[in-house]
Amino acid sequence: MDSSSTAPLYRDITDFAHDMPSWVQHLAEIWTELGLLVFGALFITGWWRARQADDRALALAVLAPLATAFAYVGSEVLKSVVDEERPCRTVVGAAASLVSCPPTGDWSFPSNHSAIAGAAAIALAIARPRLAWLTVPLALLMAFSRVFVGVHYPHDVAVGLLLGAVVAAVAVAVLYRPAQSLVRTVRGSRAPLAVWASGPGAARATATAGRSRRRRKRH
């Protein structure tokens, strides 16, 4: 793949990275991987919160990590087809990458991290629209960090973000009804694991809270 169009921008960003204070560089090195754990934590808290909500909310919370996994697989397939070498190995005159350059065979286009971030941001925003103010900036920051530390071209992360967002949105749209039906089935089960995983739901949680209030009033 011809990456010459964004190589100058890559050099500018990596030069900018080397001009930053060491604490900013270290923060970028940490965030480029830690961001994935942050999205993972948002998946878990979203599912836990949705256990107290209606079937729609739980279905979307469960679909968020699944849609992100689809986006990752899509980026891996595309990466194996394109076979673009990493910029930290090929761009002449660029500053050294802040992290170790991935070995040959771990191709550059598109960025898996960016695809995951883009997918997670959109899937979480669909499940909880108010989270968009958090997830979208986090995804953009993670994508930028991949160029900042020197392991991806700008077009790698741009396409990764777009690919992840599109795949996640399509996956949620296609799988929403089956997922909602599955949630209803699981919530109808009396198996302990099913009850724990799916939670009481909005109606049952409201009824339980009402009974608790009535018991407190009696005492």
Side-chain angles (χ1 to χ4, degrees):
M1 181 176 180
D2 182 13
S3 303
S4 59
S5 60
T6 60
L9 180 56
Y10 170 82
R11 279 192 289 265
D12 290 342
I13 293 174
T14 51
D15 286 343
F16 170 72
H18 278 267
D19 289 338
M20 288 291 100
S22 59
W23 67 268
V24 175
Q25 296 175 358
H26 292 319
L27 188 62
E29 293 170 23
I30 294 171
W31 172 250
T32 197
E33 300 296 342
L34 181 64
L36 298 178
L37 296 180
V38 171
F39 280 118
L42 288 173
F43 287 146
I44 294 172
T45 56
W47 156 71
W48 189 258
R49 182 177 182 273
R51 292 171 70 254
Q52 305 293 327
D54 58 20
D55 297 344
R56 175 186 179 278
L58 183 58
L60 291 176
V62 171
L63 282 177
L66 182 61
T68 302
F70 286 148
Y72 168 74
V73 172
S75 70
E76 273 293 303
V77 171
L78 184 55
K79 181 174 286 196
S80 66
V81 172
V82 176
D83 291 357
E84 177 189 71
E85 190 56 88
R86 296 277 180 165
C88 43
R89 188 170 291 108
T90 61
V91 177
V92 178
S97 59
L98 297 181
V99 299
S100 299
C101 192
T104 298
D106 186 353
W107 307 116
S108 190
F109 179 88
S111 163
N112 285 341
H113 284 71
S114 300
I116 292 171
I122 295 303
L124 286 166
I126 292 173
R128 293 179 60 190
R130 292 182 180 179
L131 274 183
W133 68 268
L134 173 64
T135 61
V136 172
L138 287 181
L140 294 173
L141 186 59
M142 174 173 280
F144 178 75
S145 75
R146 301 304 287 166
V147 184
F148 187 90
V149 300
V151 295
H152 277 291
Y153 288 101
H155 66 267
D156 295 339
V157 300
V159 172
L161 283 171
L162 181 61
L163 175 67
V166 170
V167 170
V170 171
V172 171
V174 171
L175 297 176
Y176 167 67
R177 289 189 181 279
Q180 190 175 30
S181 177
L182 178 61
V183 165
R184 292 195 190 99
T185 300
V186 173
R187 278 183 164 167
S189 172
R190 294 185 178 180
L193 181 59
V195 172
W196 176 81
S198 63
R204 195 183 305 172
T206 301
T208 301
R211 287 195 295 270
S212 299
R213 285 193 298 267
R214 286 194 294 271
R215 280 197 291 270
R216 285 196 297 268
K217 287 180 180 179
R218 294 195 201 102
H219 296 292

